[in-house]
PDB file of all heavy atoms in Angstrom:
ATOM      1  N   LEU A 353       2.106 -20.734 -26.208  1.00 95.00           N
ATOM      2  CA  LEU A 353       2.056 -20.925 -24.754  1.00 95.00           C
ATOM      3  C   LEU A 353       0.822 -20.278 -24.136  1.00 95.00           C
ATOM      4  O   LEU A 353       0.380 -20.679 -23.068  1.00 95.00           O
ATOM      5  CB  LEU A 353       3.324 -20.375 -24.100  1.00 95.00           C
ATOM      6  CG  LEU A 353       4.620 -21.056 -24.527  1.00 95.00           C
ATOM      7  CD1 LEU A 353       5.816 -20.355 -23.907  1.00 95.00           C
ATOM      8  CD2 LEU A 353       4.609 -22.533 -24.157  1.00 95.00           C
ATOM      9  N   GLY A 354       0.291 -19.249 -24.786  1.00 95.00           N
ATOM     10  CA  GLY A 354      -0.962 -18.630 -24.352  1.00 95.00           C
ATOM     11  C   GLY A 354      -0.889 -17.699 -23.155  1.00 95.00           C
ATOM     12  O   GLY A 354      -1.902 -17.164 -22.744  1.00 95.00           O
ATOM     13  N   SER A 355       0.317 -17.514 -22.595  1.00 96.00           N
ATOM     14  CA  SER A 355       0.401 -16.579 -21.477  1.00 96.00           C
ATOM     15  C   SER A 355       1.843 -16.228 -21.158  1.00 96.00           C
ATOM     16  O   SER A 355       2.764 -17.018 -21.393  1.00 96.00           O
ATOM     17  CB  SER A 355      -0.259 -17.149 -20.214  1.00 96.00           C
ATOM     18  OG  SER A 355       0.575 -18.076 -19.555  1.00 96.00           O
ATOM     19  N   TRP A 356       2.024 -15.037 -20.611  1.00 96.00           N
ATOM     20  CA  TRP A 356       3.334 -14.586 -20.155  1.00 96.00           C
ATOM     21  C   TRP A 356       3.806 -15.429 -18.976  1.00 96.00           C
ATOM     22  O   TRP A 356       4.960 -15.803 -18.879  1.00 96.00           O
ATOM     23  CB  TRP A 356       3.258 -13.106 -19.774  1.00 96.00           C
ATOM     24  CG  TRP A 356       4.563 -12.528 -19.321  1.00 96.00           C
ATOM     25  CD1 TRP A 356       4.837 -12.046 -18.081  1.00 96.00           C
ATOM     26  CD2 TRP A 356       5.752 -12.345 -20.088  1.00 96.00           C
ATOM     27  NE1 TRP A 356       6.138 -11.579 -18.032  1.00 96.00           N
ATOM     28  CE2 TRP A 356       6.717 -11.757 -19.257  1.00 96.00           C
ATOM     29  CE3 TRP A 356       6.104 -12.630 -21.409  1.00 96.00           C
ATOM     30  CZ2 TRP A 356       7.999 -11.440 -19.687  1.00 96.00           C
ATOM     31  CZ3 TRP A 356       7.380 -12.310 -21.845  1.00 96.00           C
ATOM     32  CH2 TRP A 356       8.310 -11.725 -20.986  1.00 96.00           C
ATOM     33  N   ARG A 357       2.883 -15.774 -18.059  1.00 94.00           N
ATOM     34  CA  ARG A 357       3.245 -16.614 -16.910  1.00 94.00           C
ATOM     35  C   ARG A 357       3.789 -17.964 -17.376  1.00 94.00           C
ATOM     36  O   ARG A 357       4.770 -18.459 -16.824  1.00 94.00           O
ATOM     37  CB  ARG A 357       2.052 -16.853 -15.996  1.00 94.00           C
ATOM     38  CG  ARG A 357       1.669 -15.665 -15.164  1.00 94.00           C
ATOM     39  CD  ARG A 357       0.643 -16.094 -14.100  1.00 94.00           C
ATOM     40  NE  ARG A 357       0.029 -14.964 -13.471  1.00 94.00           N
ATOM     41  CZ  ARG A 357       0.595 -14.221 -12.536  1.00 94.00           C
ATOM     42  NH1 ARG A 357       1.806 -14.485 -12.142  1.00 94.00           N
ATOM     43  NH2 ARG A 357      -0.048 -13.208 -12.005  1.00 94.00           N
ATOM     44  N   GLN A 358       3.162 -18.557 -18.367  1.00 93.00           N
ATOM     45  CA  GLN A 358       3.612 -19.846 -18.881  1.00 93.00           C
ATOM     46  C   GLN A 358       5.013 -19.719 -19.463  1.00 93.00           C
ATOM     47  O   GLN A 358       5.874 -20.577 -19.250  1.00 93.00           O
ATOM     48  CB  GLN A 358       2.634 -20.358 -19.953  1.00 93.00           C
ATOM     49  CG  GLN A 358       2.916 -21.760 -20.445  1.00 93.00           C
ATOM     50  CD  GLN A 358       2.628 -22.818 -19.393  1.00 93.00           C
ATOM     51  OE1 GLN A 358       1.756 -22.651 -18.547  1.00 93.00           O
ATOM     52  NE2 GLN A 358       3.355 -23.908 -19.432  1.00 93.00           N
ATOM     53  N   TYR A 359       5.281 -18.642 -20.171  1.00 95.00           N
ATOM     54  CA  TYR A 359       6.592 -18.427 -20.788  1.00 95.00           C
ATOM     55  C   TYR A 359       7.684 -18.206 -19.734  1.00 95.00           C
ATOM     56  O   TYR A 359       8.773 -18.749 -19.825  1.00 95.00           O
ATOM     57  CB  TYR A 359       6.539 -17.240 -21.748  1.00 95.00           C
ATOM     58  CG  TYR A 359       7.873 -16.901 -22.358  1.00 95.00           C
ATOM     59  CD1 TYR A 359       8.486 -17.759 -23.293  1.00 95.00           C
ATOM     60  CD2 TYR A 359       8.547 -15.744 -21.998  1.00 95.00           C
ATOM     61  CE1 TYR A 359       9.714 -17.462 -23.844  1.00 95.00           C
ATOM     62  CE2 TYR A 359       9.787 -15.438 -22.552  1.00 95.00           C
ATOM     63  CZ  TYR A 359      10.362 -16.307 -23.472  1.00 95.00           C
ATOM     64  OH  TYR A 359      11.585 -16.013 -24.019  1.00 95.00           O
ATOM     65  N   THR A 360       7.378 -17.395 -18.719  1.00 92.00           N
ATOM     66  CA  THR A 360       8.399 -17.050 -17.731  1.00 92.00           C
ATOM     67  C   THR A 360       8.508 -18.052 -16.591  1.00 92.00           C
ATOM     68  O   THR A 360       9.459 -18.014 -15.822  1.00 92.00           O
ATOM     69  CB  THR A 360       8.119 -15.656 -17.113  1.00 92.00           C
ATOM     70  OG1 THR A 360       6.849 -15.709 -16.444  1.00 92.00           O
ATOM     71  CG2 THR A 360       8.138 -14.572 -18.168  1.00 92.00           C
ATOM     72  N   GLY A 361       7.522 -18.912 -16.448  1.00 87.00           N
ATOM     73  CA  GLY A 361       7.537 -19.872 -15.354  1.00 87.00           C
ATOM     74  C   GLY A 361       7.012 -19.302 -14.042  1.00 87.00           C
ATOM     75  O   GLY A 361       7.098 -19.945 -13.002  1.00 87.00           O
ATOM     76  N   HIS A 362       6.442 -18.093 -14.075  1.00 68.00           N
ATOM     77  CA  HIS A 362       5.861 -17.484 -12.860  1.00 68.00           C
ATOM     78  C   HIS A 362       4.410 -17.942 -12.712  1.00 68.00           C
ATOM     79  O   HIS A 362       3.487 -17.200 -12.991  1.00 68.00           O
ATOM     80  CB  HIS A 362       5.912 -15.953 -12.930  1.00 68.00           C
ATOM     81  CG  HIS A 362       7.273 -15.407 -12.776  1.00 68.00           C
ATOM     82  ND1 HIS A 362       7.984 -14.891 -13.833  1.00 68.00           N
ATOM     83  CD2 HIS A 362       8.083 -15.295 -11.692  1.00 68.00           C
ATOM     84  CE1 HIS A 362       9.169 -14.485 -13.428  1.00 68.00           C
ATOM     85  NE2 HIS A 362       9.245 -14.717 -12.125  1.00 68.00           N
ATOM     86  N   HIS A 363       4.235 -19.189 -12.305  1.00 59.00           N
ATOM     87  CA  HIS A 363       2.878 -19.740 -12.199  1.00 59.00           C
ATOM     88  C   HIS A 363       2.211 -19.410 -10.870  1.00 59.00           C
ATOM     89  O   HIS A 363       1.004 -19.349 -10.771  1.00 59.00           O
ATOM     90  CB  HIS A 363       2.907 -21.254 -12.367  1.00 59.00           C
ATOM     91  CG  HIS A 363       3.502 -21.666 -13.665  1.00 59.00           C
ATOM     92  ND1 HIS A 363       2.917 -21.393 -14.883  1.00 59.00           N
ATOM     93  CD2 HIS A 363       4.652 -22.314 -13.962  1.00 59.00           C
ATOM     94  CE1 HIS A 363       3.671 -21.870 -15.862  1.00 59.00           C
ATOM     95  NE2 HIS A 363       4.733 -22.423 -15.327  1.00 59.00           N
ATOM     96  N   HIS A 364       3.015 -19.206  -9.845  1.00 53.00           N
ATOM     97  CA  HIS A 364       2.441 -18.967  -8.526  1.00 53.00           C
ATOM     98  C   HIS A 364       2.198 -17.482  -8.322  1.00 53.00           C
ATOM     99  O   HIS A 364       3.060 -16.657  -8.584  1.00 53.00           O
ATOM    100  CB  HIS A 364       3.366 -19.516  -7.433  1.00 53.00           C
ATOM    101  CG  HIS A 364       3.597 -20.986  -7.576  1.00 53.00           C
ATOM    102  ND1 HIS A 364       2.605 -21.911  -7.339  1.00 53.00           N
ATOM    103  CD2 HIS A 364       4.684 -21.682  -7.975  1.00 53.00           C
ATOM    104  CE1 HIS A 364       3.085 -23.117  -7.574  1.00 53.00           C
ATOM    105  NE2 HIS A 364       4.339 -23.007  -7.964  1.00 53.00           N
ATOM    106  N   ILE A 365       1.027 -17.171  -7.857  1.00 53.00           N
ATOM    107  CA  ILE A 365       0.631 -15.786  -7.662  1.00 53.00           C
ATOM    108  C   ILE A 365       0.898 -15.416  -6.210  1.00 53.00           C
ATOM    109  O   ILE A 365       0.453 -16.094  -5.295  1.00 53.00           O
ATOM    110  CB  ILE A 365      -0.857 -15.593  -8.031  1.00 53.00           C
ATOM    111  CG1 ILE A 365      -1.030 -15.935  -9.516  1.00 53.00           C
ATOM    112  CG2 ILE A 365      -1.309 -14.189  -7.718  1.00 53.00           C
ATOM    113  CD1 ILE A 365      -2.454 -16.091  -9.935  1.00 53.00           C
TER     114      ILE A 365
END
Side-chain angles (χ1 to χ4, degrees):
L353 298 175
S355 79
W356 181 244
R357 286 191 193 282
Q358 187 70 30
Y359 176 69
T360 62
H362 288 106
H363 302 294
H364 300 290
I365 298 167

